[in-house]
Amino acid sequence: MATNADRIAFRNALGSFATGVTIVTTCDKAGQDCGLTANSFNSVSLDPPMVLWSLARDSLSMEAFRDSEYFAVHVLAADQEPLSNGFARRGADKFAGLTPDRGAGNVPLLAGCAARFQCRTAYRYEGGDHVIFVGEVIAFDHDDRAPLLFHGGRYALAARRAAALTASNAEEIDTPGSFGEDFLGYLLGRAHFQLYGRMQACLARHRLDATDHFVISILGIQNGRTAAEVEGMIGFTGARITPEHVASLSARGIVRPDPATDRLWLTDTGRGILIELAAAAKAAEEEALETFDDNEAALLKHLLKHVIRHTDPGLPDPWAPADAA
Ligand SMILES: Cc1cc2nc3c(=O)[nH]c(=O)nc-3n(C[C@H](O)[C@H](O)[C@H](O)COP(=O)(O)O)c2cc1C
């Protein structure tokens, strides 16, 4: 390949092939653990069971893998991105802080992976600036964990395609003033109200309306804010915090307004209610995400954060440190 630009273009083109991420480990002749992050892993044969991966010729691990009869491939789980980064650091002490199990040939076996394949090196092939290792799988295990993915040079999130989610295949509707069931506003609104509906019993028990709930939630994150500051943070809801609201929360012992500073403080009663509301919200979230795996739940939240950031008119962030808010 002639130029550097060609190399980059080739690399980018290869990046359009989405892969999982593995860590391949071995133990060298001196008994030293050795390993690296690799996404060149692939299946080769079912009978006999065989897999392959390729190692850059200039890898510091080359000697260890060339000399060892065994290696282990660990298919990483979605929450193992830090481990992947650690094993992608050239020459680093990659096993620091880890206490791996031992497999065939004393090969280190890492925990918490989606799958692990212990292999005996069957063949080695020259592959340009890489060496291809083909291993016969002598043992494997597999856990039902969402996998870590890599696409376009970055870690990625993916969702499994569900069977048809709607009756009508969500066809575009052309009638002016109408919208189809794929309209984002409808989807977000309906998801919100159905989720929120699960919390209504808890709110009703404490005679709280949606605005009361907003106030209690914000004070739970940023206690001691004025009504105007709280209103600013929930500006996306359109709710107004009137003096009547504050008086009602105060009369019920949920919020204590400080007349000298205009600040609102959650009382112990308010905190107790907040904890109940948070538990109800968590239960509603768990129920809503019940059929999702880790990647799908992370993907949904990731994309919603994108929408929120992209449409944010510039509201103060309730999670910013108090002095920066
Ligand atoms: C997602 C990802 C996939 C990688 N895949 C490979 C691969 O298949 N083969 C390889 O030799 N290096 C691969 N690398 C790079 C190595 O992990 C990296 O060069 C590592 O520092 C090599 O360590 P060593 O030189 O200490 O052996 C990959 C890195 C990342 C982040």
Side-chain angles (χ1 to χ4, degrees), residues 20-22 34-41 53-62 84-85 87-92 94 130 150 155:
V21 181
T22 73
C34 187
L36 76 156
T37 302
N39 68 340
S40 51
F41 171 75
W53 68 288
S54 63
L55 176 62
R57 281 188 180 285
D58 65 0
S59 163
L60 298 175
S61 312
M62 180 57 85
S84 169
N85 288 334
F87 274 80
R89 224 169 291 133
R90 187 175 168 80
K94 296 165 183 168
H130 279 60
F150 200 70
Y155 295 110

Coordinates of all heavy atoms in Angstrom, one line a residue, residues 20-22 34-41 53-62 84-85 87-92 94 130 150 155, ligand 1:
G20 N -16.8 -7.6 17.9 CA -16.7 -7.6 19.3 C -15.3 -7.2 19.7 O -14.5 -6.8 18.8
V21 N -15.0 -7.3 21.0 CA -13.6 -7.0 21.4 C -13.2 -8.2 22.3 O -13.9 -8.7 23.1 CB -13.6 -5.7 22.2 CG1 -12.1 -5.4 22.7 CG2 -14.1 -4.5 21.4
T22 N -11.9 -8.6 22.1 CA -11.4 -9.7 22.9 C -10.1 -9.3 23.6 O -9.4 -8.3 23.1 CB -11.1 -11.0 22.1 OG1 -9.9 -10.8 21.3 CG2 -12.2 -11.4 21.2
C34 N 0.9 -12.5 29.9 CA 1.1 -11.7 28.7 C -0.3 -11.6 28.0 O -1.0 -12.6 28.0 CB 2.1 -12.3 27.8 SG 2.6 -11.4 26.5
G35 N -0.6 -10.4 27.4 CA -1.9 -10.4 26.8 C -2.1 -9.0 26.1 O -1.4 -8.1 26.3
L36 N -3.1 -9.0 25.2 CA -3.4 -7.7 24.5 C -4.9 -7.7 24.0 O -5.5 -8.8 23.9 CB -2.5 -7.5 23.3 CG -2.8 -8.3 22.1 CD1 -2.2 -7.6 20.9 CD2 -2.2 -9.7 22.2
T37 N -5.4 -6.5 23.8 CA -6.7 -6.4 23.2 C -6.7 -6.7 21.7 O -5.7 -6.2 21.1 CB -7.2 -4.9 23.5 OG1 -7.2 -4.7 24.9 CG2 -8.6 -4.7 22.9
A38 N -7.6 -7.4 21.2 CA -7.6 -7.8 19.8 C -9.1 -7.9 19.3 O -9.9 -8.5 20.0 CB -6.9 -9.1 19.6
N39 N -9.3 -7.3 18.1 CA -10.7 -7.5 17.5 C -10.6 -8.3 16.2 O -11.5 -8.3 15.5 CB -11.4 -6.2 17.4 CG -10.8 -5.3 16.3 OD1 -9.6 -5.5 16.0 ND2 -11.5 -4.4 15.8
S40 N -9.4 -8.9 16.0 CA -9.2 -9.7 14.8 C -9.7 -11.1 14.9 O -9.6 -11.9 14.0 CB -7.7 -9.7 14.4 OG -6.9 -10.1 15.5
F41 N -10.3 -11.4 16.1 CA -10.8 -12.7 16.4 C -11.9 -13.1 15.5 O -12.7 -12.3 15.1 CB -11.3 -12.7 17.9 CG -12.1 -13.9 18.3 CD1 -11.4 -15.1 18.6 CD2 -13.5 -13.9 18.4 CE1 -12.1 -16.2 18.9 CE2 -14.2 -15.0 18.8 CZ -13.5 -16.2 19.0
W53 N -7.1 -15.4 15.3 CA -6.9 -14.0 15.6 C -5.5 -13.6 15.0 O -4.7 -14.5 14.7 CB -7.0 -13.7 17.1 CG -5.8 -14.2 17.9 CD1 -5.7 -15.5 18.2 CD2 -4.8 -13.5 18.5 NE1 -4.5 -15.7 18.9 CE2 -3.9 -14.5 19.1 CE3 -4.4 -12.2 18.5 CZ2 -2.8 -14.1 19.8 CZ3 -3.2 -11.8 19.2 CH2 -2.4 -12.8 19.8
S54 N -5.2 -12.3 14.8 CA -3.9 -12.0 14.3 C -3.2 -11.0 15.2 O -3.9 -10.1 15.8 CB -4.1 -11.4 12.9 OG -4.8 -10.3 12.9
L55 N -1.9 -11.1 15.2 CA -1.1 -10.3 16.1 C -0.1 -9.5 15.3 O 0.6 -10.0 14.4 CB -0.3 -11.2 17.1 CG 0.7 -10.6 18.0 CD1 0.0 -9.6 19.0 CD2 1.4 -11.7 18.9
A56 N 0.0 -8.2 15.6 CA 0.9 -7.3 14.9 C 2.4 -7.8 15.1 O 2.7 -8.2 16.2 CB 0.8 -5.9 15.3
R57 N 3.1 -7.8 14.0 CA 4.5 -8.3 14.1 C 5.3 -7.5 15.2 O 6.2 -8.0 15.8 CB 5.2 -8.1 12.8 CG 4.9 -9.2 11.8 CD 5.7 -9.1 10.6 NE 5.4 -10.2 9.7 CZ 5.7 -11.5 9.9 NH1 6.5 -11.8 10.9 NH2 5.3 -12.4 9.1
D58 N 5.0 -6.2 15.3 CA 5.8 -5.4 16.2 C 5.3 -5.4 17.6 O 5.7 -4.6 18.5 CB 5.9 -3.9 15.7 CG 4.6 -3.2 15.6 OD1 3.6 -3.9 16.0 OD2 4.5 -2.0 15.2
S59 N 4.3 -6.3 17.9 CA 3.7 -6.3 19.3 C 4.8 -6.8 20.2 O 5.6 -7.8 19.9 CB 2.6 -7.3 19.3 OG 2.3 -7.7 20.6
L60 N 4.9 -6.2 21.4 CA 5.8 -6.7 22.4 C 5.5 -8.1 22.9 O 6.3 -8.7 23.6 CB 5.8 -5.7 23.6 CG 6.3 -4.3 23.3 CD1 6.1 -3.4 24.5 CD2 7.7 -4.3 22.8
S61 N 4.2 -8.5 22.6 CA 3.8 -9.9 23.1 C 4.1 -11.0 22.1 O 3.8 -12.1 22.3 CB 2.3 -9.9 23.3 OG 1.9 -8.7 24.0
M62 N 4.7 -10.6 20.9 CA 4.9 -11.6 19.8 C 5.7 -12.8 20.3 O 5.3 -13.9 20.0 CB 5.6 -10.9 18.6 CG 5.9 -11.8 17.5 SD 4.4 -12.6 16.9 CE 3.8 -11.3 15.8
S84 N -10.4 -3.4 28.4 CA -10.0 -3.4 27.0 C -8.9 -2.3 26.8 O -7.9 -2.5 26.2 CB -11.2 -3.1 26.1 OG -10.8 -2.9 24.8
N85 N -9.2 -1.1 27.4 CA -8.2 0.0 27.2 C -6.9 -0.4 27.9 O -5.8 -0.1 27.4 CB -8.8 1.3 27.9 CG -9.9 1.8 27.0 OD1 -9.9 1.6 25.8 ND2 -10.8 2.6 27.7
F87 N -5.5 -3.3 28.3 CA -4.8 -4.3 27.6 C -4.4 -3.8 26.2 O -3.7 -4.5 25.4 CB -5.6 -5.6 27.5 CG -5.3 -6.5 28.7 CD1 -6.0 -6.3 29.9 CD2 -4.4 -7.6 28.6 CE1 -5.8 -7.1 31.0 CE2 -4.2 -8.4 29.7 CZ -4.9 -8.1 30.9
A88 N -4.9 -2.6 25.8 CA -4.4 -2.1 24.5 C -3.2 -1.1 24.7 O -2.8 -0.5 23.7 CB -5.6 -1.3 23.9
R89 N -2.8 -1.0 25.9 CA -1.6 -0.1 26.2 C -0.3 -0.9 26.0 O -0.1 -1.8 26.8 CB -1.8 0.5 27.6 CG -1.5 2.0 27.6 CD -1.8 2.6 28.9 NE -3.3 2.7 29.2 CZ -3.9 2.4 30.3 NH1 -3.1 2.0 31.3 NH2 -5.2 2.5 30.4
R90 N 0.4 -0.5 25.0 CA 1.6 -1.2 24.7 C 2.6 -1.3 25.8 O 3.0 -0.2 26.4 CB 2.3 -0.5 23.5 CG 3.5 -1.1 22.9 CD 3.9 -0.4 21.7 NE 5.2 -0.8 21.2 CZ 5.4 -1.8 20.4 NH1 4.4 -2.6 20.0 NH2 6.6 -2.2 20.0
G91 N 3.0 -2.5 26.1 CA 4.1 -2.7 27.1 C 3.7 -2.4 28.6 O 4.5 -2.5 29.5
A92 N 2.4 -2.1 28.8 CA 1.9 -1.8 30.2 C 1.9 -3.0 31.0 O 2.0 -4.2 30.5 CB 0.5 -1.2 30.1
K94 N -0.1 -5.1 32.3 CA -1.6 -5.2 32.1 C -2.3 -6.0 33.2 O -3.5 -5.9 33.3 CB -1.8 -5.8 30.7 CG -1.3 -4.9 29.6 CD -1.1 -5.6 28.3 CE -0.6 -4.7 27.2 NZ -0.2 -5.5 26.0
H130 N 1.1 -8.8 10.1 CA 0.5 -9.6 11.3 C 0.9 -11.1 11.1 O 1.2 -11.5 10.1 CB -1.0 -9.4 11.3 CG -1.4 -8.1 12.0 ND1 -1.1 -6.9 11.5 CD2 -2.2 -7.9 13.1 CE1 -1.6 -6.0 12.2 NE2 -2.3 -6.5 13.2
F150 N -17.1 -2.9 18.8 CA -16.2 -1.9 18.3 C -16.6 -1.7 16.8 O -16.8 -2.6 16.1 CB -14.8 -2.5 18.3 CG -13.7 -1.5 18.2 CD1 -13.4 -0.6 19.3 CD2 -12.9 -1.4 17.1 CE1 -12.4 0.3 19.2 CE2 -11.8 -0.5 17.0 CZ -11.6 0.4 18.1
Y155 N -15.6 2.3 20.5 CA -16.6 1.4 21.1 C -18.0 1.7 20.7 O -18.3 2.9 20.5 CB -16.4 1.4 22.6 CG -15.1 0.9 23.1 CD1 -14.1 1.8 23.7 CD2 -14.7 -0.4 23.0 CE1 -12.9 1.4 24.1 CE2 -13.4 -0.8 23.4 CZ -12.5 0.1 23.9 OH -11.3 -0.3 24.3
Ligands
LIG1 C1 -10.4 -2.5 19.9 C2 -8.9 -2.9 19.7 C3 -8.6 -4.0 18.8 C4 -7.3 -4.3 18.6 N1 -7.0 -5.4 17.8 C5 -5.8 -5.9 17.7 C6 -5.5 -7.1 16.9 O1 -6.4 -7.8 16.5 N2 -4.2 -7.4 16.8 C7 -3.1 -6.7 17.3 O2 -2.0 -7.1 17.2 N3 -3.4 -5.5 18.0 C8 -4.7 -5.1 18.2 N4 -4.9 -4.0 18.9 C9 -3.8 -3.2 19.4 C10 -3.2 -3.8 20.7 O3 -4.1 -4.1 21.7 C11 -2.1 -2.9 21.2 O4 -1.2 -2.6 20.2 C12 -1.4 -3.4 22.4 O5 -0.7 -2.3 22.9 C13 -0.3 -4.4 22.0 O6 0.3 -4.6 23.3 P1 1.8 -5.1 23.3 O7 2.6 -4.4 22.3 O8 2.2 -4.8 24.7 O9 1.7 -6.6 23.0 C14 -6.3 -3.6 19.2 C15 -6.6 -2.5 20.0 C16 -7.9 -2.2 20.2 C17 -8.2 -1.0 21.2

